[in-house]
Amino acid sequence: MRTIAIMNNKGGVGKTVTAINLAEELLRRGKHVVLVDCDGQANLTRFYLPEFDPVLNLTLADELTGNCEPVWSDNLMPIKQGLDLLASSSALYDLDVSAIKDGSGAPERMMDFVKAAESDADTDFIIFDCPPGFTVGSIAALLASREVVIPMLVDGFSFTGTQDMAAQIASMRAANGSIRVTGILITQWHRSPVVEQGEKLLRSMRMPVFRQTIRRTDKVPESTFDRSPLREYSPGSAAAVDYRRWVDELLGMEVQHG
């Protein structure tokens, strides 16, 4: 089973879109996927479950505080055959405040969740959609993940931020010795001198970068309004094609993770 955190400290880089389309492409290949929404904004949850009520259903906040079902899979919301979701809610923001005030909240509980999923041998991938910054939710994801994918725009602000985040992830190895950055995924790529020069610079640095990039297209924001993955909303669009190729590249790395 592979555990992947989709993370960048910068917002607006396509983390949730990447999590959705990664899950959907894996599903198309016959994989069983669990998505975990680690962001208090709950965009991933609302994408799949627009009427989701956190008062009536369990969320990641319940998992991290121990107020959850003892069987790990009973905390999931079924989305479709082969795809389940551990939903989010604004209660994650309360956990962040509590962690600052009195140290409450236990992000390490996500490690137990992953171990339980792995022991069932029915799940192929757990994908964590992380918020910007090191919150209780994102720390929980990093403690439980072996891989980190960093979606990134090619602009001046992103370079230093991505380097800093890679260093922060490396520091997490004291608590999670198996975590590493699998690769930086360039999103919203378009042909322009600054983007092409920035990409060349990025690929010359000592950080792993996926060969495949995700091209910019209006079909991406349109698909979020429609609440449909790109493979359903616009399978022939540039971004849909790119995500398919990127998932092929990611799956080709599987041998490295056992």
Side-chain angles (χ1 to χ4, degrees), residues 150 159 162-167 170 173 180-184 198-210:
I150 305 176
F159 275 83
T162 301
Q163 288 176 303
D164 290 344
M165 200 184 76
R173 292 196 185 109
R180 72 180 184 89
V181 176
T182 302
I184 296 167
E199 180 184 358
K200 184 177 180 180
L201 174 61
L202 178 65
R203 294 188 184 279
S204 71
M205 299 168 69
R206 297 182 60 185
M207 291 189 292
V209 183
F210 290 104

Side-chain angles (χ1 to χ4, degrees), residues 81-98:
Q81 183 67 36
L83 180 62
D84 298 294
L85 170 70
L86 180 55
S88 183
S89 72
S90 59
L92 281 177
Y93 295 136
D94 298 330
L95 282 188
D96 291 334
V97 173
S98 297

Side-chain angles (χ1 to χ4, degrees), residues 85-233:
L85 170 70
L86 180 55
S88 183
S89 72
S90 59
L92 281 177
Y93 295 136
D94 298 330
L95 282 188
D96 291 334
V97 173
S98 297
I100 294 169
K101 289 173 59 180
D102 53 30
S104 65
E108 64 273 11
R109 286 195 173 101
M110 187 50 55
M111 299 168 72
D112 296 330
F113 176 90
V114 165
K115 288 176 183 175
E118 200 161 21
S119 67
D120 274 2
D122 184 44
T123 301
D124 299 303
F125 284 80
I126 296 182
I127 300 167
F128 299 91
D129 179 28
C130 299
F134 282 75
T135 65
V136 169
S138 59
I139 290 171
L142 293 176
L143 286 173
S145 297
R146 295 187 183 95
E147 306 177 53
V148 182
V149 169
I150 305 176
M152 174 184 165
L153 304 183
V154 179
D155 61 35
F157 295 116
S158 295
F159 275 83
T160 54
T162 301
Q163 288 176 303
D164 290 344
M165 200 184 76
Q168 290 168 326
I169 291 168
S171 72
M172 292 286 295
R173 292 196 185 109
N176 177 4
S178 61
I179 194 170
R180 72 180 184 89
V181 176
T182 302
I184 296 167
L185 177 64
I186 298 172
T187 59
Q188 300 185 39
W189 187 94
H190 56 284
R191 191 171 300 282
S192 73
V194 66
V195 170
E196 292 173 329
Q197 291 167 14
E199 180 184 358
K200 184 177 180 180
L201 174 61
L202 178 65
R203 294 188 184 279
S204 71
M205 299 168 69
R206 297 182 60 185
M207 291 189 292
V209 183
F210 290 104
R211 294 189 306 273
Q212 182 63 50
T213 62
I214 310 299
R215 285 169 286 178
R216 185 173 68 184
T217 168
D218 288 342
K219 297 302 180 184
V220 171
E222 288 174 15
S223 72
T224 62
F225 277 111
D226 193 64
R227 293 198 300 273
S228 300
L230 282 167
R231 72 183 182 96
E232 294 176 4
Y233 181 77

